[in-house]
Amino acid sequence: MRVLFVEDSKHLRNYVAKALKRAGYATDTAADGEEGFFLASSNTYDAIVLDLMLPKIDGLEILRRLRRDGCKTHLLILTARTAIEDRVRGLELGADDYLVKPFAIEELVARVHALVRRGYDTKANVVTIGSLKIDTSARRVTLDEEELKVPPREYALLEYLARRKGHIVSREEIENHVYDHAKEVKSNAVDSAVCLLRKRLHRDGKQFLKTVHRQGYLLDVL
């Protein structure tokens, strides 16, 4: 899952980005409104966290432009403004949630997680595919009730495919949702990750992950 965090405070930007990455999110950051709007409008995100008081373009204007342009990504406003009218204005412009500074980092991560779930039309933390279960909150994977140790990159891939279960997912979609903007994705990175994950999930003749020729990948009970 991929998140954008737009915040002009370098300390807070780095702090929140680290927390989101620890929670398993590929995280892009922007230090001003101009960069934030560019990233938000030119990339695919599962959630956006947006400060309001930003240099160059303020957060409400970014929000207005994104919704005007048809961006449907769920968005959380994070700000020091506490006035009710500010909250109302943000929600009226299309924000999905609002968190006032100072805040607990655990609450922020939980709210981002809730926005991502909403984006995939589910309220459940656990995705079940046959005997395979992915607890997206605890980042815990079990197969036939036995816990699997899944490295972070493979887990990120697994969670995204699980949220799209039953649908063919293209390599480009995986690159857009699993890898952050700062990392250059090697040409074989997705294929390698899929290969490793397929071996990890293969057991007693059961298959969950299929490569669909020239289309992408499918996670389901096969």
Side-chain angles (χ1 to χ4, degrees), residues 39-119:
L39 289 175
S41 58
S42 57
N43 293 285
T44 302
Y45 292 102
D46 295 290
I48 296 172
V49 180
L50 180 67
D51 186 28
L52 291 187
M53 294 182 286
L54 295 166
K56 299 184 180 180
I57 306 175
D58 71 71
L60 288 179
E61 177 60 17
I62 292 175
L63 176 58
R64 186 190 68 79
R65 293 184 188 184
L66 290 175
R67 296 312 189 218
R68 175 202 65 192
D69 294 344
C71 176
K72 296 181 180 180
T73 303
H74 287 94
L75 185 147
L76 173 110
I77 288 177
L78 181 67
T79 183
R81 296 179 185 175
T82 58
I84 295 297
E85 54 266 31
D86 289 325
R87 302 188 198 186
V88 171
R89 179 62 174 155
L91 293 171
E92 286 180 340
L93 284 174
D96 300 279
D97 201 357
Y98 202 109
L99 186 60
V100 176
K101 301 174 183 177
F103 57 90
I105 192 63
E106 296 85 359
E107 181 179 2
L108 172 61
V109 172
R111 286 174 182 257
V112 168
H113 196 61
L115 291 183
V116 170
R117 288 202 311 269
R118 194 184 307 174

Side-chain angles (χ1 to χ4, degrees), residues 110-165:
R111 286 174 182 257
V112 168
H113 196 61
L115 291 183
V116 170
R117 288 202 311 269
R118 194 184 307 174
Y120 290 90
D121 296 322
T122 178
K123 294 180 182 291
N125 284 324
V126 179
V127 181
T128 301
I129 304 171
S131 60
L132 175 66
K133 294 183 179 181
I134 302 100
D135 186 331
T136 61
S137 180
R139 293 171 60 78
R140 182 172 181 265
V141 181
T142 59
L143 179 58
D144 294 331
E145 299 185 355
E146 180 182 336
E147 184 170 357
L148 297 181
K149 299 299 182 182
V150 182
R153 180 59 64 198
E154 289 176 49
Y155 175 83
L157 171 63
L158 175 61
E159 181 178 337
Y160 179 60
L161 291 174
R163 293 196 182 280
R164 300 285 306 279
K165 66 177 180 178

